Amino acid sequence: MRLLESDGQLIKVLDRDAIVALDPSLASAREKIAGGIHCPTDETGDPAKFTRALAAKVVGRGGEIRTGTTITGIETSGDGVAQVMTDKGAVKGDAYVLALGSYSPLIARTIGLSLPIYPVKGYSLTIPIGNRPAPPTIAAIDEHNLVAVSRFGDRLRVTATAEFAGYDTSHKPADFAFMKGVTEELYPEGADYDRAEMWAGLRPMTPNNLPEFGQRRLRNLYLNTGHGHIGWTMSHGSARITADLIAGRKPAISMDGLLN
Ligand SMILES: Cc1cc2nc3c(=O)[nH]c(=O)nc-3n(C[C@H](O)[C@H](O)[C@H](O)COP(=O)(O)OP(=O)(O)OC[C@H]3O[C@@H](n4cnc5c(N)ncnc54)[C@H](O)[C@@H]3O)c2cc1C
């Protein structure tokens, strides 16, 4: 927290009364709260809404987004990528960015590139607030139980758990019992818990938590992958770095401490 503070973030240490004053929806859990850290400059949001809006902007500027297309391989020629093979035909470009999240090492392996990226499974609940009277007014993380709760307008998003389960994204109701219980204890009147939607996904983790950037092995192949548990947070900065590297510029964002 001190590190974030030294970088310009506001960090306030609050006691339990100050926390309940900040978010009255926590009133009934008051006795269970030891204290907390409030970061007024931190933000949360709905990543699906963000991604759709970003995609619309890309298309609006002349970009093309092909969904439902699976990359099946990379064809090389000499020291470069010649084309990327997909189930809907080949795609040619001047430069290629490998950004397949947890799946990047599978494609990289086919051209002899070994990437230390491993899928770490996480679970998420999306719960309608419905007519419940006391939904959270700000996002929070229960640091003891490692459960994060965000408010997306009329829904809550609750995320938790880091599991090594390979590429398996299956889930069953029992997987969500703990995180649902923790949230319900904190915000008993916060959402319509019986209508929770369940989801599980993979975080592309690296052993030292650093993503992989830059040109690798082939002259026109760049990496922007392995962002672990904060890939959305890092997405714009990482894209900026990648664009600068492809253009042969010194990245505008300092790479100090970011290189593997
Ligand atoms: C439960 C959970 C909670 C999280 N919470 C946060 C958070 O609060 N904040 C945060 O910043 N991050 C969070 N993350 C992490 C974040 O989701 C990831 O770091 C981020 O999505 C990585 O982005 P990416 O684009 O590299 O990979 P992905 O988002 O995984 O995208 C890779 C894409 O490549 C596609 N793909 C893979 N293989 C192929 C192929 N062969 N052909 C075509 N397409 C392919 C996939 O379908 C996918 O769409 C969370 C993750 C989980 C699972």
Side-chain angles (χ1 to χ4, degrees), residues 141-147:
I141 299 177
D142 177 337
E143 290 284 357
H144 180 66
N145 291 307
L146 293 177
V147 173

Side-chain angles (χ1 to χ4, degrees), residues 69-72 99-103 107 120-124 159-160 199-204 224-234:
T69 304
T70 301
I71 297 163
T72 52
L100 299 177
S102 297
Y103 302 86
I107 290 284
V120 174
K121 190 176 184 180
Y123 295 86
S124 133
T159 54
W199 181 82
L202 305 174
R203 304 177 184 93
N224 181 10
T225 190
H227 298 79
H229 67 296
I230 47 167
W232 186 34
T233 313
M234 293 200 277

Side-chain angles (χ1 to χ4, degrees), residues 92-103:
K92 276 183 187 292
D94 300 319
Y96 300 80
V97 179
L98 182 65
L100 299 177
S102 297
Y103 302 86

Side-chain angles (χ1 to χ4, degrees), residues 132-199:
R132 303 315 280 262
T137 57
I138 57 170
I141 299 177
D142 177 337
E143 290 284 357
H144 180 66
N145 291 307
L146 293 177
V147 173
V149 181
S150 307
R151 171 93 180 258
F152 294 178
D154 60 358
R155 294 168 298 148
L156 295 191
R157 169 66 52 85
V158 182
T159 54
T161 318
E163 219 174 75
F164 289 95
Y167 285 88
D168 172 25
T169 55
S170 67
H171 52 78
K172 54 188 183 309
D175 297 325
F176 300 86
F178 177 74
M179 58 199 280
K180 198 166 156 182
V182 168
T183 313
E184 210 166 346
E185 215 176 317
L186 287 170
Y187 308 100
E189 292 298 333
D192 191 349
Y193 292 101
D194 293 337
R195 290 199 289 142
E197 281 174 36
M198 295 169 268
W199 181 82

Side-chain angles (χ1 to χ4, degrees), residues 7-116:
D7 198 39
Q9 300 300 319
L10 287 179
I11 304 287
K12 294 182 184 169
V13 178
L14 303 184
D15 63 18
R16 55 161 73 118
D17 288 330
I19 289 173
V20 173
L22 185 69
D23 188 350
S25 69
L26 286 164
S28 65
R30 186 187 171 284
E31 297 310 314
K32 297 184 191 108
I33 298 171
I37 297 165
H38 180 215
C39 312
T41 44
D42 201 0
E43 291 177 279
T44 57
D46 178 342
K49 192 172 169 186
F50 170 91
T51 305
R52 287 194 192 102
L54 179 63
K57 277 197 188 295
V58 169
V59 171
R61 289 188 183 188
E64 191 188 332
I65 294 177
R66 298 186 193 173
T67 55
T69 304
T70 301
I71 297 163
T72 52
I74 297 174
E75 209 175 280
T76 60
S77 168
D79 63 351
V81 177
Q83 54 186 8
V84 167
M85 309 309 294
T86 81
D87 59 350
K88 308 241 166 73
V91 179
K92 276 183 187 292
D94 300 319
Y96 300 80
V97 179
L98 182 65
L100 299 177
S102 297
Y103 302 86
S104 293
L106 307 186
I107 290 284
R109 191 185 299 156
T110 64
I111 51 162
L113 178 60
S114 170
L115 296 178

